[in-house]
Amino acid sequence: MTTDEREIAELTRLVREFATERDWQQFHDPKSVILALVGEVGELAELFQWVRADDAIATFAVPERKARAGEEMADVLIYLVCLADVLGVDLGAAARAKLAASHVRFAADEVRGRAPDKP
Amino acid sequence: MTTDEREIAELTRLVREFATERDWQQFHDPKSVILALVGEVGELAELFQWVRADDAIATFAVPERKARAGEEMADVLIYLVCLADVLGVDLGAAARAKLAASHVRFAADEVRGRAPDKP
Amino acid sequence: MTTDEREIAELTRLVREFATERDWQQFHDPKSVILALVGEVGELAELFQWVRADDAIATFAVPERKARAGEEMADVLIYLVCLADVLGVDLGAAARAKLAASHVRFAADEVRGRAPDKP
Amino acid sequence: MTTDEREIAELTRLVREFATERDWQQFHDPKSVILALVGEVGELAELFQWVRADDAIATFAVPERKARAGEEMADVLIYLVCLADVLGVDLGAAARAKLAASHVRFAADEVRGRAPDKP
């Protein structure tokens, strides 16, 4: 029964089952999984590299391109979920905690309209 | 009411609210968000770069290190969710579809114990 | 005597001396160095992430910003040179060979004005 | 006459000529070139991701694998040189300056045998 299973826990279970069935957990030490994540981020970057910044949303609104971008993003998520599982990190909880901390760190009234890291 | 909201949709809503309150959506064209994602992946990589592969899980089992890794992974997830929102991609559905396709592409009986991309 | 030493060989020698003096070669297995390279690429990406594409060259023409970008690019080059040294790759020769192959692969008359990987 | 041309300047000239002949400079704004660099770093990471850390040097001592790694590293260098050219950064000088600064920042007697960023 997975009625109450949350979505990232479900993905974690699916990713773990996929690896276990193939005896691939042996490859999933953290540094290797991060390199795999980097590989997928690279494929995502390649999709967008030569598209003009102003055209990127329109270009990827075309269904087959959106699907392609979705696949690369899926790969990034899958390796991120895999890494979290290997390290015992609760990824969803970590993201919610980070967002809560960012609400405090970047007070809306102080930073409105200005990117904090802009040179 | 968000009773039935799934976890990634909830994160998407939180990330969007965070950006909207700060008028930061103006910075979130796809190429910029991908560069931000790359920045966070870089911070994650830096955490692990000099740790021996065999020691990585034990090293990051220490609570403060696990929390630190969780924060960097959270940042990666947040920008990935942000990118998916900007592009109109359903990230959870894309990940489940990719895993389903991978089950077909990498038949367990054929690939067991062998990483497919290993040189 | 290094009179005839080429520039990348000189950098390689400097990077190797730096690591040797600190007994840091022990950390420089290829996967670790690639993760360090990823970390530096991430810092470079962070510098540019929220700058508008059209403003990036002007923004980084300001001396202190140009110097900062140069430092991050230097770090990327240093780890790339380190990796090449660890693997016994002649980086300059590899780059010249790749450019020569690209001249053949992308005939100027056929690809002029069109990015080859553009979706 | 390029008799006294240093190696990175030569590469810069070759990369610029290659782009100019194809009218590809129009695509080479800094953010786009960084995304292309990220794509190549991703391909490099993919080569090594599932190789055991202890086996990586031996695995890539095999000539065709070393050549493959060299090609991916060449691509990284080419885009780094392209970015430096676009930004007007002297990449070789920046790397030498960074190494000189690191000699001061990481005094050999103080850091010997300990990676500075190790968690």
Side-chain angles (χ1 to χ4, degrees), chain D residues 16-119:
Chain D
R16 195 191 300 174
E17 284 172 5
F18 181 80
T20 305
E21 287 169 11
R22 283 155 189 78
D23 195 17
W24 283 356
Q25 318 99 297
Q26 62 181 302
F27 300 115
H28 292 172
D29 67 283
K31 294 174 81 162
S32 297
V33 178
I34 294 172
L35 287 174
L37 178 70
V38 168
E40 301 301 342
V41 170
E43 293 187 38
L44 181 62
E46 281 180 7
L47 277 188
F48 285 84
Q49 61 195 6
W50 307 133
V51 177
R52 282 181 50 83
D54 293 342
D55 296 339
I57 287 178
T59 297
F60 284 90
V62 176
E64 60 264 46
R65 288 183 193 136
K66 184 193 283 198
R68 181 73 200 286
E71 280 180 53
E72 300 303 348
M73 295 166 72
D75 286 332
V76 175
L77 180 58
I78 287 167
Y79 280 121
L80 189 64
V81 161
C82 177
L83 180 64
D85 192 31
V86 167
L87 294 173
V89 164
D90 183 333
L91 189 57
R96 287 183 292 272
K98 191 64 190 275
L99 283 166
S102 293
H103 271 282
V104 176
R105 182 173 166 208
F106 302 108
D109 288 347
E110 289 173 21
V111 301
R112 187 165 290 120
R114 290 183 297 107
D117 310 320
K118 208 173 157 204

Side-chain angles (χ1 to χ4, degrees), chain C residues 1-17:
Chain C
M1 278 289 288
T2 60
T3 309
D4 296 329
E5 192 182 43
R6 295 211 73 184
E7 190 171 21
I8 294 174
E10 180 199 41
L11 280 174
T12 304
R13 182 174 50 76
L14 293 172
V15 170
R16 195 192 300 174
E17 284 172 5

Side-chain angles (χ1 to χ4, degrees), chain A residues 31-32 35 49 65 115 117 119, chain C residues 31-32 35 49 65 117 119:
Chain A
K31 293 174 81 162
S32 297
L35 287 174
Q49 61 196 8
R65 289 183 192 137
D117 311 319
Chain C
K31 295 174 80 162
S32 297
L35 287 174
Q49 61 195 6
R65 289 185 193 135
D117 311 319

Side-chain angles (χ1 to χ4, degrees), chain A residues 80 83-84 87 89 91, chain B residues 44 69-78:
Chain A
L80 189 64
L83 180 63
L87 294 173
V89 163
L91 188 57
Chain B
L44 181 63
E71 278 180 54
E72 301 303 348
M73 296 167 72
D75 286 331
V76 175
L77 180 58
I78 286 167

Side-chain angles (χ1 to χ4, degrees), chain B residues 23-86:
Chain B
D23 195 17
W24 284 357
Q25 318 99 298
Q26 62 181 303
F27 300 114
H28 291 172
D29 68 283
K31 294 174 81 162
S32 297
V33 178
I34 295 172
L35 287 174
L37 178 70
V38 168
E40 301 301 342
V41 170
E43 293 188 36
L44 181 63
E46 281 180 8
L47 277 188
F48 285 84
Q49 61 195 7
W50 307 133
V51 177
R52 282 182 50 83
D54 293 342
D55 295 339
I57 287 178
T59 297
F60 284 91
V62 176
E64 59 264 43
R65 289 185 192 134
K66 184 193 283 198
R68 180 75 200 284
E71 278 180 54
E72 301 303 348
M73 296 167 72
D75 286 331
V76 175
L77 180 58
I78 286 167
Y79 281 120
L80 189 64
V81 161
C82 177
L83 180 63
D85 192 31
V86 168

